[in-house]
């Protein structure tokens, strides 16, 4: 499974600059609204030093990291849900993403125009929240009109469940609450809710775009956002996108590390952003290692061995027999699969085994 994140925000908050850092694609970054005319889609590899360590032992033909797909859309403005600016068109482009990266301008710069004249990230957040909620309300009301008659007069059980789910969403959205605040008690309701692809139902990572001086500890703007979102089930990350774009230009790894240390950072904001997105979505990584490839595979935390086998191929899950599991630390310490096997560090696990982050796995199956 590949993680897909959509970037949203007002014009000129640093969305495209951040996208350029995240992706090899170069979205145009300019000082005027609607600079991004078509949605930019880029793919970035997930940083995982374990892959290179394993590759140094196994000497595979190739290394295949996990990837994240980033969708950058035009800056939203007031009325986007009703078609103002280019928003209505582009909201559809992020409907099926897994998470939303909400970029907020938390820096002063008289050379960069703000669409509303002044820097106020809390106000900006509320504008975007309102537009996404309005779009979701439009979706919910449209669906209610379609299922209401079946739910009230017919014997369609699914229509009745869907109608109840939609009414709960409608109530929350009309109160100005995002869809993700609505909780459901059973899998049928959760399935119907998931099929709606509501924008405010997605996990959100607020990305506070700051100036260089605030890259480590943030500033007064970040503190205001932190206070504003403390009741939300959301992540918050501080990134200096302009500096990150400079870091991304370095080809030499050591040069990047020196630059980061001079800024007082342990790792780049891009790496931290991807890791934060994984945490937000409750995702982890298991590994496979062999002469053909060393590879990272993304799975939902808490998944059992057959489900993770299915991440590689559906046949692996259908015909699952067992999983051969070596802990990454043991693999690196002992140097090879055979050495781990001889030392009793390869475990044979069945269908109930809950996969752990960093497990090096080999699946046995029969179809």
């Amino acid at each position: 499974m590949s993680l897909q994140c959509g970037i949203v925000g007002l014009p000129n908050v640093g969305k495209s600059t951040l996208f350029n850092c995240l992706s090899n694609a170069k979205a145009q970054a300019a000082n005027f609204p609607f600079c991004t005319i078509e949605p930019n889609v880029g793919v970035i590899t997930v940083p995982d030093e374990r892959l290179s360590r394993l590759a140094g032992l196994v000497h595979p033909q190739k290394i295949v990291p996990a990837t994240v797909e980033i969708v950058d859309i035009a800056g939203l403005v007031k009325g986007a849900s009703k078609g103002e600016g280019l928003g209505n068109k582009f909201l559809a482009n992020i409907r099926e993403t897994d998470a939303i990266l909400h970029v907020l301008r938390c820096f002063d710069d008289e050379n960069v125009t703000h669409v509303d004249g002044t820097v106020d990230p809390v106000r900006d957040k509320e504008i975007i929240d309102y537009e996404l909620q309005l779009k979701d309300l439009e979706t919910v009301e449209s669906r209610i009109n379609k299922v209401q008659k079946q739910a009230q007069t017919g014997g369609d059980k699914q229509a009745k469940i869907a109608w109840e789910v939609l009414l709960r969403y409608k109530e929350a959205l009309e109160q100005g609450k995002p869809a993700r605040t609505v909780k459901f008690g059973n899998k049928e309701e959760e399935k119907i809710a998931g099929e709606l692809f509501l924008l405010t139902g997605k996990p959100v990572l607020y990305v506070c775009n700051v100036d260089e001086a605030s890259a480590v500890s943030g500033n007064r703007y970040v503190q205001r956002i932190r206070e504003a979102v403390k009741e939300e089930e959301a992540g918050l990350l501080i990134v200096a996108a302009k500096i990150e774009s400079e870091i991304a230009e370095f080809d030499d790894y050591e040069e990047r590390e020196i630059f980061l240390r001079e800024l007082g950072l342990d790792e780049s904001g891009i790496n931290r952003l991807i890791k934060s997105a994984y945490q937000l979505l409750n995702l982890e990584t298991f590994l496979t290692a062999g002469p053909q490839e060393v590879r990272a595979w993304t799975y939902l935390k808490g998944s059992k061995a057959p489900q993770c086998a299915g991440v590689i191929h559906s046949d692996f899950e259908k015909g699952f027999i067992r999983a051969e599991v070596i802990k990454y630390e043991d693999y690196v310490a002992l140097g090879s699969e055979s050495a781990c096997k001889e030392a009793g560090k390869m475990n044979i696990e069945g269908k109930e085994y809950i996969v752990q982050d960093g497990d090096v796995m080999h699946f046995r199956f029969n179809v």
Side-chain angles (χ1 to χ4, degrees):
M1 59 186 295
S2 179
L3 172 63
Q4 189 180 61
C5 296
I7 302 179
V8 302
L10 292 176
N12 294 348
V13 297
K15 298 188 336 300
S16 293
T17 302
L18 183 66
F19 175 82
N20 288 343
C21 301
L22 285 164
S23 169
N24 289 329
K26 292 294 179 184
Q28 185 185 4
N31 183 23
F32 57 91
F34 312 131
C35 171
T36 306
I37 302 303
E38 292 298 331
N40 291 282
V41 180
V43 177
I44 186 170
T45 58
V46 176
D48 194 336
E49 62 278 0
R50 296 173 299 192
L51 291 174
S52 53
R53 292 284 299 277
L54 285 174
L57 299 171
V58 178
H59 307 294
Q61 293 177 25
K62 60 181 178 179
I63 300 173
V64 185
T67 59
V68 176
E69 191 171 285
I70 306 294
V71 181
D72 176 34
I73 66 171
L76 302 177
V77 295
K78 289 177 184 176
S81 60
K82 301 300 180 185
E84 289 297 320
L86 299 173
N88 205 8
K89 174 185 174 184
F90 291 111
L91 285 173
N93 292 319
I94 58 169
R95 188 169 292 284
E96 294 188 29
T97 58
D98 300 297
I100 286 179
L101 308 178
H102 187 159
V103 183
L104 295 162
R105 176 172 171 173
C106 295
F107 65 89
D108 292 308
D109 187 340
E110 60 185 19
N111 295 316
V112 180
T113 305
H114 191 289
V115 71
D116 282 327
T118 57
V119 177
D120 185 344
V122 174
R123 175 202 60 206
D124 295 352
K125 170 194 174 306
E126 289 172 351
I127 289 171
I128 299 295
D129 286 349
Y130 182 66
E131 294 304 325
L132 297 182
Q133 286 166 14
L134 281 181
K135 192 64 180 175
D136 280 348
L137 188 57
E138 179 186 304
T139 300
V140 166
E141 288 177 338
S142 174
R143 292 293 184 91
I144 285 175
N145 291 335
K146 289 179 181 178
V147 304
Q148 186 171 4
K149 188 174 181 180
Q150 292 172 290
Q152 291 179 323
T153 62
D156 191 331
K157 181 186 173 186
Q158 287 300 110
K160 190 173 189 307
I161 295 171
W163 188 56
E164 290 170 352
V165 166
L166 289 162
L167 287 180
R168 289 188 61 190
Y169 274 141
K170 185 174 186 290
E171 182 183 8
L173 291 164
E174 286 179 337
Q175 292 174 1
K177 297 176 182 177
R180 61 182 171 275
T181 61
V182 180
K183 306 300 180 186
F184 298 102
N186 61 63
K187 291 190 176 180
E188 275 188 301
E189 291 177 334
E190 288 176 358
K191 183 175 183 293
I192 289 168
E195 290 170 350
L196 293 170
F197 296 108
L198 296 181
L199 297 166
T200 65
K202 302 179 188 302
V204 175
L205 176 64
Y206 291 105
V207 182
C208 296
N209 184 17
V210 300
D211 56 277
E212 180 179 341
S214 308
V216 177
S217 55
N219 54 30
R220 69 185 188 280
Y221 294 130
V222 174
Q223 191 53 44
R224 288 185 60 206
I225 288 294
R226 188 172 279 124
E227 185 65 24
V229 305
K230 66 181 181 182
E231 301 299 326
E232 295 186 31
E233 295 178 10
L236 185 146
L237 186 71
I238 300 169
V239 171
K242 187 176 179 181
I243 296 300
E244 292 292 332
S245 66
E246 295 178 20
I247 295 171
E249 294 297 324
F250 285 119
D251 293 324
D252 186 87
Y253 175 79
E254 289 187 6
E255 284 185 5
R256 288 202 303 267
E257 291 300 298
I258 292 169
F259 192 25
L260 286 169
R261 282 198 296 272
E262 288 176 352
L263 291 171
L265 297 169
D266 295 327
E267 63 179 335
S268 74
I270 301 310
N271 283 8
R272 289 185 289 113
L273 188 150
I274 296 168
K275 290 177 180 179
S276 296
Y278 262 59
Q279 288 179 335
L280 188 70
L281 289 165
N282 212 22
L283 299 176
E284 292 183 333
T285 306
F286 72 86
L287 310 165
T288 53
Q292 288 190 323
E293 66 179 26
V294 166
R295 185 163 184 160
W297 303 88
T298 302
Y299 69 96
L300 188 64
K301 185 177 180 180
S303 295
K304 294 181 180 179
Q307 293 171 292
C308 287
V311 172
I312 298 176
H313 196 288
S314 58
D315 285 348
F316 284 27
E317 183 173 5
K318 291 174 187 174
F320 178 87
I321 299 172
R322 66 178 184 272
E324 297 168 357
V325 184
I326 301 171
K327 296 301 176 187
Y328 167 77
E329 293 78 9
D330 291 334
Y331 204 120
V332 171
L334 295 172
S336 70
E337 181 180 312
S338 58
C340 290
K341 195 171 184 179
E342 289 173 13
K345 295 296 184 180
M346 176 188 284
N347 297 322
I348 307 301
E349 303 290 356
K351 293 182 177 181
E352 296 305 309
Y353 176 69
I354 297 175
V355 176
Q356 304 297 306
D357 186 62
D359 278 352
V360 183
M361 307 190 74
H362 182 73
F363 296 103
R364 300 291 182 182
F365 68 102
N366 182 29
V367 178

